Amino acid sequence: MLSRLDKVGAVIAILAAAGLVLEPFATVKANRIVSGRGVGLFEALPPAVAAAGLAVLVAGLLVALRRGRPGIRLAAGAIALATLGVLIGLVPGHLVPPGNALARVSPAAGFWVLGFAFAILVTDAIAKLALGPAARLAVLAAAAAGLAVLLGSGLWDGLSVMREYASHADSFWQEGGRHVALAFGSLVAAVAVGLPLGIACHRSPSLRGVTLPVLNIIQTIPSIAMYGLMMVPLGLLAASVPLAADLGIRGIGTAPALIALFLYSLLPVVANVVVGLGQTPPEVVEAAEGMGMTGRQRLLGVELPLALPVILTGIRIVLVQNIGLVTIAALIGGGGFGTFVFQGIGQAATDLVLLGAVPTIALAFTAAIILDALIEILRGHRP
């Protein structure tokens, strides 16, 4: 019997059992600010629904505990996660009286622990399946489609975080667009500067010996301090040069956030260009020279294409890093999803914090998976 026990599944089972037995499934509050009351699965839902949901979750745990085919484990984890999504969406309809617009229902620790446990099951199954990049993208698309169905069906409309979204729908998409623009804009600027700088560093050891340590020092400055450092010179510039202020360059706002993110992005880009070019096999370079290629032709036709997977790894690091750092930029008026995070902290409204935090995590997660797949495809792995 023990020989059939899956070690990862045992950890999942312990986590899930703790989430089911020790922690509340949902929290009910009289309004968005006051403390709430935790309720278990059978108090949060009609008994028949709770029993059916519990049966699906326990079945998922049994599949996780027993060694089996990764495909079955993946399906069990996905079904359990979907069941959790449906169950939490049904809680407001059972606990909140009709017409009560003030009461709030949000997922509690038990829901999050169960979700984490089954997410481990899905991740473990995907790792054991050793899916190619195209298959991983298909799994990501399926997860996004499932989430879109839940959101589009209106099943989650009664949850507190969705009520916060309804109150901030216009500013949510506006801040989301600003978040993406800051993350990608700083990335594009860093690639435009970092790529030629990395090529120059690869060819000039003396330049590399100065540039990389300086960029490394910039990388060690805490994000809050970096944003603060940008405020003073840009504020003075806006005060002394009216054209700069007219162009939106001020001590607070988008400009200092964009410059700080650009500076943070330079080290991964430059370092990966140097490493990628340095890994080009000498015999390949010699063969290109033997064919009569000029230095520019070798760079564009041989060295950069061979270094592209390593360079993309640096771009992946920068993009995921910037998506997270843009959140902090809200402190200096940079906007983005961090606006909701800090508003929620100030108002002690945890669901408003989630309205900013969850999309940020989803963006970073999606960007990482897509770029990882692209890197593997470029390295010649099976699609």
Side-chain angles (χ1 to χ4, degrees), residues 367-381:
I369 291 179
I370 291 175
L371 284 176
D372 274 341
L374 182 59
I375 291 167
E376 286 194 25
I377 291 173
L378 288 174
R379 282 179 171 159
H381 289 203

Side-chain angles (χ1 to χ4, degrees), residues 17 22-23 30 35 66 76 83 96 112 116 120 130 162 168 170 210 220 251 262 283 287 291 295 312 315 329 339 361:
L22 302 178
E23 299 294 340
S35 299
R66 187 179 174 84
T83 302
V96 178
W112 294 114
F116 178 65
I120 294 176
M162 294 307 296
H168 300 82
D170 293 337
V210 174
T220 60
F262 163 74
E283 56 272 22
M291 294 171 64
L312 278 178
I315 290 174
T339 302
I361 296 169

Side-chain angles (χ1 to χ4, degrees), residues 23-51:
E23 299 294 340
F25 185 72
T27 300
V28 186
K29 297 187 286 188
N31 57 59
R32 68 193 290 262
I33 296 178
V34 299
S35 299
R37 178 176 65 89
V39 293
L41 185 64
F42 278 85
E43 186 180 354
L45 293 163
V49 176

Side-chain angles (χ1 to χ4, degrees), residues 112-153:
W112 294 114
V113 172
L114 283 165
F116 178 65
F118 287 112
I120 294 176
L121 177 59
V122 170
T123 305
D124 179 59
I126 291 175
K128 289 176 177 172
L129 283 169
L131 296 177
R136 291 207 303 276
L137 290 177
V139 172
L140 176 67
L147 184 61
V149 168
L150 280 174
L151 291 170
S153 67

Side-chain angles (χ1 to χ4, degrees), residues 80-382:
L81 286 174
T83 302
L84 278 174
V86 172
L87 291 178
I88 196 65
L90 294 174
V91 174
H94 180 64
L95 294 181
V96 178
N100 187 339
L102 295 178
R104 297 298 181 99
V105 173
S106 54
F111 171 85
W112 294 114
V113 172
L114 283 165
F116 178 65
F118 287 112
I120 294 176
L121 177 59
V122 170
T123 305
D124 179 59
I126 291 175
K128 289 176 177 172
L129 283 169
L131 296 177
R136 291 207 303 276
L137 290 177
V139 172
L140 176 67
L147 184 61
V149 168
L150 280 174
L151 291 170
S153 67
L155 185 64
W156 284 359
D157 286 355
L159 294 176
S160 184
V161 66
M162 294 307 296
R163 290 195 177 189
E164 294 290 353
Y165 168 74
S167 302
H168 300 82
D170 293 337
S171 59
F172 178 86
W173 293 108
Q174 182 181 354
E175 298 300 344
R178 192 174 297 176
H179 197 111
V180 172
L182 274 173
F184 280 88
S186 56
L187 172 65
V188 170
V191 172
V193 174
L195 186 59
L197 183 58
I199 294 170
C201 286
H202 169 67
R203 294 182 172 175
S204 171
S206 58
L207 178 63
R208 182 167 66 245
V210 174
T211 303
L212 291 183
V214 170
L215 295 180
N216 197 30
I217 291 172
I218 292 174
Q219 192 82 7
T220 60
I221 300 174
S223 56
I224 294 288
M226 178 67 86
Y227 289 135
L229 287 174
M230 292 296 107
M231 292 172 67
V232 176
L234 292 179
L236 292 174
L237 179 65
S240 56
V241 182
L243 179 60
D246 292 341
L247 292 174
I249 301 174
R250 298 182 178 86
I252 60 172
T254 304
L258 187 65
I259 295 175
L261 291 168
F262 163 74
L263 293 175
Y264 273 127
S265 306
L266 278 179
L267 178 63
V269 174
V270 174
N272 278 58
V273 170
V274 172
V275 172
L277 292 176
Q279 290 180 352
T280 305
E283 56 272 22
V284 174
V285 177
E286 290 173 4
E289 289 173 347
M291 294 171 64
M293 285 185 168
T294 64
R296 183 178 179 180
Q297 288 173 330
R298 288 200 307 273
L299 176 67
L300 297 178
V302 177
E303 293 175 289
L304 277 179
L306 289 174
L308 192 55
V310 180
I311 295 172
L312 278 178
T313 301
I315 290 174
R316 172 194 175 279
I317 293 170
V318 168
L319 185 56
V320 174
Q321 165 190 280
N322 284 4
I323 289 172
L325 286 177
V326 171
T327 308
I328 310 296
L331 284 174
I332 58 168
F337 287 128
T339 302
F340 303 115
V341 173
F342 292 108
Q343 283 181 359
I345 292 173
Q347 299 172 17
T350 54
D351 294 301
L352 190 53
V353 175
L354 286 177
L355 186 64
V358 172
T360 303
I361 296 169
L363 267 178
F365 186 69
T366 303
I369 291 179
I370 291 175
L371 284 176
D372 274 341
L374 182 59
I375 291 167
E376 286 194 25
I377 291 173
L378 288 174
R379 282 179 171 159
H381 289 203
R382 64 184 171 85

